[in-house]
Amino acid sequence: MAIKIKCFGWRNSQLDQISRIESGFKELGYELVDDNPDLVYSNNDFYDDILDFTKKQEKRPFIIFNILDLQLSNPNYDLVKLKEQLFQADAITAISKSTQKQIKDNLGLDSVVIYNPSKPTYLFRVTQKTFPFLFVGRNYSHNKRFNLIKKTLKLAEWPEHYLVVCGSENPYYGQYEGIVDDERLNYLYNNAGIVLLLSSNEGIGLSFIEALQTYTPVIGCSDCEAAKEFLPECMICNPDPDSIRSKILEIKENYDYYRQVAFEKGIIYKEQFSAESVCKRIIDIYNIHCLLHVFP
């Protein structure tokens, strides 16, 4: 009998991850239900609605709470409440090793790394790069350090139209594309010379993964644990405009080498960050729980 699953998470037709996870469960043959599930999976921090839902079910489901990242610099992020809710889960998961370490260091709790599915990007044709730089994602948050991009372009005397930006927040700098569909996003990754994600902190930094799957070089910063976890060392530099500019010029001068490095990582990440692979890891946690009850 197929496992019945109920998923919770922030939803947006273009941007959410929970829809990708649900598609992975469907692809693997599992049933998505609204009531009486065997397994409840939540892809958001804080779980009031999930805990209320589980209390109303005929039989308590197995509960997995996933952590995207701990917003330690946010004064409104209630770590005490989060920890209390996590104690009510049967399993805690994390989207990266760096997030797993955050959970252990700040909450004293163990978690299992399952990652999160990336957008379905791929190298769709051999193309001449049509613009130098791409930024994908939110840019208003302090940790994103979008201003570092502006300072770097100014230092190098490169015009702002060298940069294309897509995401839900308009930085009023560069060529802003807004929220784009998967086809357009794939086009942008394929046509960018370099993807810039200069954050100080990321849960994963899916732009790292999505860009490498199109064999496009990426630059991340040395103080970002996710960058060190997912990027090749040669694509990481110090978080200052001079170092970023130097890394850009280094990539430009050795572009074929950097594309090959991106290709090698991209092949690995295409499987690791597929919706089906993420869902298999979630199901493995549930199955291990079932086995332990059969063979205590």
Side-chain angles (χ1 to χ4, degrees), residues 1 18 21 66 71 73 76 91 98 106 126 136 154 156 159 167 197 199 205 268 273:
M1 183 181 296
I18 197 65
I21 291 169
N66 189 46
Q71 300 173 31
S73 61
N76 298 316
S98 55
N106 292 279
V126 178
V136 178
K154 184 176 181 180
L197 184 58
S199 307
I268 296 169
F273 289 88

Side-chain angles (χ1 to χ4, degrees), residues 118-119 121-123 129 134 136 189-190 192 194-196 205-219 231 259 262-263 266 269:
S118 64
K119 289 276 193 176
T121 54
Y122 56 92
L123 181 68
K129 300 293 186 175
L134 175 66
V136 178
Y189 277 125
N190 273 273
I194 300 171
V195 172
L196 303 174
L206 284 174
S207 295
F208 296 148
I209 309 306
E210 291 162 358
L212 293 173
Q213 288 176 169
T214 66
Y215 315 153
T216 298
V218 184
I219 295 178
L231 286 183
R259 287 212 76 179
F263 164 77
Y269 288 159

Side-chain angles (χ1 to χ4, degrees), residues 154-169:
K154 184 176 181 180
L155 173 69
E157 298 183 341
W158 293 324
E160 68 172 80
H161 72 256
Y162 275 20
L163 174 69
V164 173
V165 178
C166 63
S168 60
E169 299 167 345

